[in-house]
Amino acid sequence: MKRSREKAAAELFAALYPRLAGWCRRLVDDDETAHEIASEAFTRLWARWTSVSEPRGFLYVTAANLVRDHWRRMERERRAVRRATVEASVLPPAEQTDPSVRLLVQALPERLRTPTLLHYYADLPIREVAVLTGRKEGTVKADLHAARELLRAHLRRSLDHIQ
């Protein structure tokens, strides 16, 4: 039994790790951090192996949460650096305008961010996103639409500001 469990876990790792790590890489823009997040997601899956019915979904939701934690940590660091720079300088800091879609997705409310990450970045179908988030398919579709509208509006403002 233990041998078959280990074999199943090894096969799952071989099948899903490269894609999960690549997905994380696109979100965090750093190879080492992406591999740490993907590895941690698998570690957490392994700890709950017998109680997880959808390992792929569990991995992506766990990785999305770890990416969110990473983004929060990076934002706290950026604010600390900005604060230190402002305190050391007489000039006010320049307005930061970054039209990067990744940063815009990071700024979405949690209700919209999670389905966006799962559907557009992890390529999960709406049906699977609905199951993983515990929402109805229609709600997921509405949330994805709302996220696209917010991103579109923010990108327009960012581009108008740059031009």
Side-chain angles (χ1 to χ4, degrees):
M1 169 115 175
K2 185 178 180 189
R3 187 79 176 126
S4 64
R5 181 178 166 216
E6 289 176 4
K7 183 179 180 197
E11 288 172 358
L12 184 73
F13 184 84
L16 296 181
Y17 184 84
R19 188 168 178 184
L20 181 67
W23 178 68
C24 291
R25 169 67 174 86
R26 289 193 309 270
L27 294 173
V28 299
D29 206 26
D30 177 64
D31 285 335
E32 186 177 334
T33 303
H35 284 286
E36 286 174 11
I37 289 171
S39 297
E40 178 63 20
F42 270 96
T43 300
R44 291 181 184 190
L45 173 63
W46 181 251
R48 295 165 185 80
W49 184 252
T50 56
S51 64
V52 174
S53 60
E54 295 288 332
R56 180 174 180 246
F58 178 89
L59 287 168
Y60 277 95
V61 168
T62 301
N65 289 335
L66 293 168
V67 164
R68 183 196 61 227
D69 293 345
H70 170 76
W71 285 344
R72 286 179 178 163
R73 196 169 37 259
M74 295 303 292
E75 182 56 32
R76 282 192 302 271
E77 290 174 11
R78 278 192 288 273
R79 279 196 304 261
V81 167
R82 226 177 293 135
R83 225 177 2 259
T85 304
V86 167
E87 290 170 3
S89 169
V90 188
L91 299 173
E95 184 72 27
Q96 188 178 12
T97 56
D98 185 353
S100 165
V101 173
R102 183 175 54 83
L103 293 175
L104 296 176
V105 169
Q106 173 185 342
L108 286 172
E110 177 75 21
R111 175 181 69 80
L112 303 178
R113 184 175 53 241
T114 298
T116 299
L117 290 172
L118 293 173
H119 183 66
Y120 292 111
Y121 287 83
D123 296 324
L124 297 180
I126 288 173
R127 175 184 35 75
E128 197 168 339
V129 173
V131 170
L132 293 172
T133 59
R135 300 177 186 160
K136 294 180 180 180
E137 286 185 40
T139 303
V140 171
K141 288 177 185 178
D143 288 346
L144 291 172
H145 175 75
R148 285 191 308 271
E149 290 302 313
L150 280 172
L151 294 171
R152 184 177 296 122
H154 194 75
L155 280 171
R156 271 196 204 111
R157 282 194 305 273
S158 294
L159 292 173
D160 288 346
H161 184 73
I162 292 171
Q163 294 173 355

